[in-house]
Amino acid sequence: QAQAHPVGFGADQPWQCLLIPRMWRVVVVAPGRRTGLRFFGRRKRLDHYDSYDAPVRLRVWNEVKGGGGFFPHAFEDQTPSETAQTVVLAAKTGVHSQAFWMRASLAISDVAMALTPSQLAAVCHAFGMAKWSDEGLVTALAVPLAKHARSMRPSDLAVTVQSFARTSMSRTPILSTLAQAVRENARLNSKGLTIVADSFAVLRFRSEGLLDRLNAWAASAETRSCPPELVVGLLRALSLLIRPETRRVPTAPEAAPAAAPEAEPEAAP
């Protein structure tokens, strides 16, 4: 309940100060003026992982509408950052045109080497949201991903792995590079590890690097603050990863055993 208290802005008609409990707001109402108050709950702050699935911000949407839409000119006339932004906006606004995504995959393939690590993650997440699978696109993205995988932010690395699970792209060598980056990234928290483990479980892609990273995480103090739903998600993913039919991927290329020398045929008498 709001409590009204007079404040000293005027001697004849004091203004009213409304103190709203648990809202940390003070509303000053002028004398003789009716003011409608709208009560809002405290906005939940999105972390880096949730921000990818968040809708388009109102400011960005107004800029898009004022600029003629999210696709004002052809991909050939766009810079690499504009191409990435166009693809991300198309995924967030629910564009389902196959012709657009086919052209977008070709455009991203052309500018893949010029994208930053964050733009690479955002583009991969966009194609994952659209469920668009393209072998040529994965081949073009493999080189810059292999270059920047170890320097990616934890959330960028997690959503990149998740995009391959959403598009069912399991037969690609880049997954081994991403798994190695997951093993070396010490900043991945419980949420990021859950996203990566669940994605590898969907792909039936067993990574020894991920298991080593989970062992290191389990031995740390971070497990005490892990939410129960994330614990359940990790256990579910691990139960799928340890099945015999899951493909085993070593953390480093193992040396193949040397072949035994063939016996020389005996000389004929």
Side-chain angles (χ1 to χ4, degrees):
Q1 296 180 359
Q3 301 177 358
H5 300 274
V7 292
F9 290 104
D12 299 333
Q13 294 179 339
W15 291 28
Q16 298 293 320
C17 179
L18 299 183
L19 303 180
I20 306 174
R22 293 184 300 176
M23 297 295 292
W24 297 96
R25 297 184 183 181
V26 177
V27 180
V28 178
V29 183
R33 184 181 181 88
R34 299 180 60 183
T35 302
L37 298 179
R38 293 181 298 174
F39 293 86
F40 297 94
R42 181 171 296 179
R43 180 182 299 178
K44 180 182 178 181
R45 185 175 182 179
L46 300 178
D47 57 14
H48 293 292
Y49 299 94
D50 295 331
S51 61
Y52 288 94
D53 293 322
V56 181
R57 294 182 178 180
L58 181 60
R59 177 183 58 82
V60 177
W61 180 248
N62 290 333
E63 293 178 355
V64 169
K65 291 193 301 182
F70 79 97
F71 197 25
H73 44 273
F75 281 118
E76 291 82 0
D77 301 327
Q78 296 182 6
T79 63
S81 60
E82 290 175 344
T83 303
Q85 183 181 10
T86 300
V87 173
V88 172
L89 288 175
K92 287 183 175 291
T93 53
V95 176
H96 300 292
S97 173
Q98 293 187 357
F100 170 82
W101 288 109
M102 184 180 300
R103 185 65 190 89
S105 62
L106 294 175
I108 291 297
S109 300
D110 293 338
V111 300
M113 293 300 298
L115 298 178
T116 64
S118 297
Q119 290 172 344
L120 284 171
V123 165
C124 290
H125 182 264
F127 283 102
M129 290 182 64
K131 303 294 191 296
W132 183 262
S133 301
D134 189 344
E135 294 286 348
L137 175 64
V138 174
T139 303
L141 291 175
V143 177
L145 284 177
K147 178 181 178 181
H148 298 294
R150 289 175 173 82
S151 60
M152 278 184 167
R153 296 186 306 174
S155 56
D156 293 342
L157 181 59
V159 299
T160 301
V161 175
Q162 187 184 50
S163 67
F164 286 92
R166 290 180 173 179
T167 54
S168 302
M169 300 293 293
S170 59
R171 304 292 178 177
T172 172
I174 192 58
L175 290 180
S176 300
T177 303
L178 294 175
Q180 185 66 23
V182 169
R183 181 186 183 184
E184 298 175 359
N185 197 316
R187 296 182 297 162
L188 273 169
N189 58 11
S190 56
K191 191 168 186 177
L193 290 174
T194 302
I195 293 175
V196 173
D198 185 69
S199 301
F200 282 162
V202 170
L203 296 172
R204 296 291 191 269
F205 187 89
R206 180 176 176 179
S207 168
E208 298 297 332
L210 174 62
L211 297 179
D212 292 343
R213 181 67 181 85
L214 289 175
N215 288 333
W217 172 81
S220 65
E222 189 180 352
T223 54
R224 301 176 183 177
S225 59
C226 182
E229 60 272 12
L230 295 183
V231 175
V232 174
L234 280 173
L235 292 177
R236 172 186 170 278
L238 288 175
S239 66
L240 296 175
L241 289 174
I242 63 178
R243 289 182 179 179
E245 63 269 17
T246 304
R247 296 190 299 119
R248 178 182 177 273
V249 180
T251 55
E254 299 176 356
E262 297 181 358
E264 297 181 359
E266 298 179 358

